[in-house]
Every structure is written in structure tokens, then in C-alpha cells.
Amino acid sequence: MGAQSASNTAAFRSGFIAVIGRPNMGKSTFLNRVLGQKVAIVTPKAQTTRSRILGVCHRKNCQMVFLDTPGIHHAGGNRLNQTMVKTAYDACREVDHILLLVDLPDGMKEADFDIVDQLIKRPGTTPTITLLINKIDDLSADERHAFDFALREIDPEISALFDRIIPISAKHGNGVKDVLTHLKNKMPVGPHYFPEDQITDQPERFIAAEIVREKLFLNLRQELPYDLAVVTESYKEEGKILHLHVAIWVTRDSQKGMVIGRKGAILKKVGEAARKEMERLLNTRIYLQLWVQVKKDWSRRDSMLRELGYLDS
């Protein structure tokens, strides 16, 4: 009776966890795996994520709020890239824990140490960081055994930077349960920040635009996707059908035809794929209208970055 009573009255724990790393390390795939539902778009191209995406993981007596972030990279003079990197570092302020993802084939790079160095130098309390080594699914059973041994023998200077090093496969789920158990023990006593039926703070119109952008990334070649932005301009429920009007921004007139495709083939393919996924995620019938607009130099103009939600108003 005493043990059961103690269990029932166990303090509720909650906290915020930033998920950071270089581009294309599997951060969004990890978040979707943790939540068991897609809230962040995923493509093979680097720098797909441009905004801070929040996902809420509900567990018994615990709520873990994850912040998926854009990949940290050398932004140069590009205003959009500068904003993305700032968004990633800003997400690490006031969080209770940080997860740094690195790619197993790459290992720890100088850029990863630079990220840790920037986090340690930030004002306030030095963050606690767990290193997640992703993509262990590429290893055989023998290789994994050898890899686990190598982790135990890791350079003390590297090991000292992290409270724990955990190998995972964000794609297949290996090791993710260990991460959640580890994080649950790290969370402080705290409140329910979100209702139990809520897994993200992103409005549906933002999710709709992100799904369209994902399909564009998957269907367009070379560098064109990086010149695109997507915004939901109209979002109306009419009867049992959700009507969405979504604009695709390009920077030059010559790009407009490339996005539309011959006889509208690319835009039609993107629209069909996006509509099907939206209907599945939002559980409703959708009428989706896409069109392409030329917004010259949108990625360099703060007013347009604010309109897209990449900069605070």
C-alpha cells in the first residue's frame, strides 16, 4: 500500500530539451520518432528545417518538450541562413537539457566542437549536453558491438563535454527509448506545460505550408528548393472541406516555370502529394490550391522573413 501510494503521488516532472546539430544529422527524424507522429518535415537535403519546431512527449508523471532546430552551419552573409543559425542557438536558452546529434559516418567534426564551445560560452548556467550518435542502423551486429566498446574507450576530453553518449537510429528507433529514459530522469519537478492531447504548438496553417515545402524539396533538383518559401495565405473551413490557398515564393521569374513544370506537371505532383499527407495528418478532406509568386530577394529582406515567421515581429 505504501509503495503504491508513493507511486501515485510521485512528483510530476517536466522540462524543455533543445535538439541541435549540423545540417542533415537527423534531428527532425528523431523528433518525429519520439512523438510517434510527424510534426517536422524531413528530406535528404541539408537545411530543410528553417524554424524552431516544438514537440511535446507525454510520459507517465513526465512531460518532455523538445525543440527541433535548424542545422547550425556557416551562414556567411545570407540573411536567411543567419536567421536559421540564430534560431538554433536561441532555442538553447533557458532549456533544461540539450541533445547534440552527430552522424555516425562523420563522427565528431570540428564544427560539432564549435557548437559545444558556443553553448558553453553563452551567458548563464552551463548547459548539460547529451551526445546522440545517429545512424547506427548502418552497422552490422558485430560492428555495433565494436562501436559500443569504442564508446567506452572514447577520448576523455570528448567524454567530459557530455553527461552521456548514446548511439541511436532515429530512422528505426534503436536507442531512442534509452534517450527518453535518460531525459526523464534529468527533468526537474515542474508543471504540465501543455494538455495531454497536444503534441506541438505549430498552427495547422504552418504545418500545411511546411508539407508543401517538403514536397517541393523532394521534387525539385539542385539548389532551387533553397530559393523557395511557402506561406499559407488562406485557411477556411467550408462544410466538411478545409480550403487552403498556399503561395510558393521564388526569387526570379525564370524559377517560376521550373516550379510549375511542363504543362503544370511538377506543381500538380507536389499538390497531390501534399494534399494526401495533409488529409491524413489533419483527418479531414482538403481542397488545396497552389500558385507561384515572384518575391525578389525575399531571403534577404527582414520584412518578408517576418511574414514567413523566420524572424520575430
Side-chain angles (χ1 to χ4, degrees):
M1 177 67 73
Q4 183 176 358
S5 175
S7 176
N8 291 338
T9 59
F12 189 85
R13 295 181 175 275
S14 60
F16 289 80
I17 302 147
V19 185
I20 67 169
R22 289 180 284 120
N24 218 21
M25 293 293 103
K27 298 181 294 296
S28 296
T29 302
F30 171 79
L31 178 63
N32 293 338
R33 171 65 63 178
V34 164
L35 301 180
Q37 183 173 327
K38 183 175 180 178
V39 298
I41 64 173
V42 177
T43 79
K45 298 184 188 304
Q47 299 175 30
T48 298
T49 300
R50 290 176 177 172
S51 305
R52 188 275 290 155
I53 307 294
L54 181 147
V56 187
C57 178
H58 302 274
R59 290 293 185 270
K60 184 177 180 180
N61 292 327
C62 184
Q63 187 177 91
M64 292 172 277
V65 184
F66 290 86
L67 305 177
D68 180 25
T69 63
I72 296 176
H73 59 287
H74 178 64
N78 184 289
R79 183 61 174 139
L80 173 60
N81 288 345
Q82 291 171 353
T83 300
M84 290 163 60
V85 172
K86 182 178 184 299
T87 296
Y89 280 120
D90 284 350
C92 296
R93 295 180 178 176
E94 307 301 328
V95 295
D96 299 284
H97 203 78
I98 293 174
L99 299 177
L100 172 65
L101 267 73
V102 300
D103 191 323
L104 175 62
D106 282 352
M108 287 286 290
K109 297 290 188 181
E110 183 178 350
D112 298 307
F113 291 107
D114 288 342
I115 291 172
V116 174
D117 189 52
Q118 288 296 318
L119 294 173
I120 292 174
K121 288 180 179 177
R122 69 178 184 165
T125 305
T126 300
T128 305
I129 308 173
T130 295
L131 176 64
L132 302 186
I133 302 179
N134 192 22
K135 303 184 182 178
I136 63 169
D137 43 294
D138 294 334
L139 298 181
S140 67
D142 289 342
E143 287 172 329
R144 288 186 190 181
H145 178 75
F147 179 66
D148 288 342
F149 177 79
L151 283 181
R152 290 193 291 271
E153 301 297 318
I154 200 165
D155 186 330
E157 291 187 9
I158 297 177
S159 181
L161 297 173
F162 310 105
D163 74 324
R164 190 172 169 191
I165 301 172
I166 306 176
I168 68 166
S169 168
K171 182 177 180 180
H172 297 291
N174 306 76
V176 173
K177 185 177 179 180
D178 292 339
V179 177
L180 294 178
T181 299
H182 173 64
L183 292 175
K184 184 176 179 179
N185 293 331
K186 289 285 183 180
M187 294 297 98
V189 174
H192 288 81
Y193 289 105
F194 296 91
E196 291 191 4
D197 60 351
Q198 184 175 352
I199 65 167
T200 185
D201 66 340
Q202 298 294 352
E204 291 180 348
R205 63 189 302 136
F206 173 83
I207 293 173
E210 284 289 273
I211 290 172
V212 171
R213 193 165 65 85
E214 177 187 68
K215 306 312 175 191
L216 288 165
F217 262 69
L218 294 173
N219 284 279
L220 294 171
R221 297 178 180 178
Q222 299 176 345
E223 298 301 313
L224 181 55
Y226 297 103
D227 281 343
L228 300 177
V230 181
V231 59
T232 302
E233 295 193 339
S234 176
Y235 184 100
K236 296 179 180 179
E237 292 187 27
E238 297 182 8
K240 295 182 179 180
I241 301 178
L242 179 59
H243 288 250
L244 296 174
H245 292 181
V246 177
I248 301 167
W249 294 2
V250 296
T251 59
R252 300 189 299 275
D253 285 323
S254 60
Q255 295 172 332
K256 191 171 181 179
M258 297 168 66
V259 174
I260 295 172
R262 186 177 181 184
K263 297 183 179 180
I266 293 178
L267 201 61
K268 181 180 178 180
K269 185 177 180 181
V270 166
E272 288 180 350
R275 178 185 56 79
K276 289 178 180 178
E277 181 157 341
M278 290 178 199
E279 289 182 337
R280 181 177 59 81
L281 288 176
L282 303 179
N283 195 29
T284 187
R285 290 181 60 196
I286 288 177
Y287 171 79
L288 176 63
Q289 182 179 2
L290 302 178
W291 68 88
V292 185
Q293 297 177 322
V294 177
K295 298 277 189 177
K296 187 176 180 181
D297 295 331
W298 67 263
S299 64
R300 297 182 177 90
R301 299 167 63 178
D302 284 3
S303 61
M304 292 188 176
L305 293 175
R306 289 191 184 94
E307 184 176 346
L308 293 164
Y310 297 151
L311 275 179
D312 293 334
S313 300

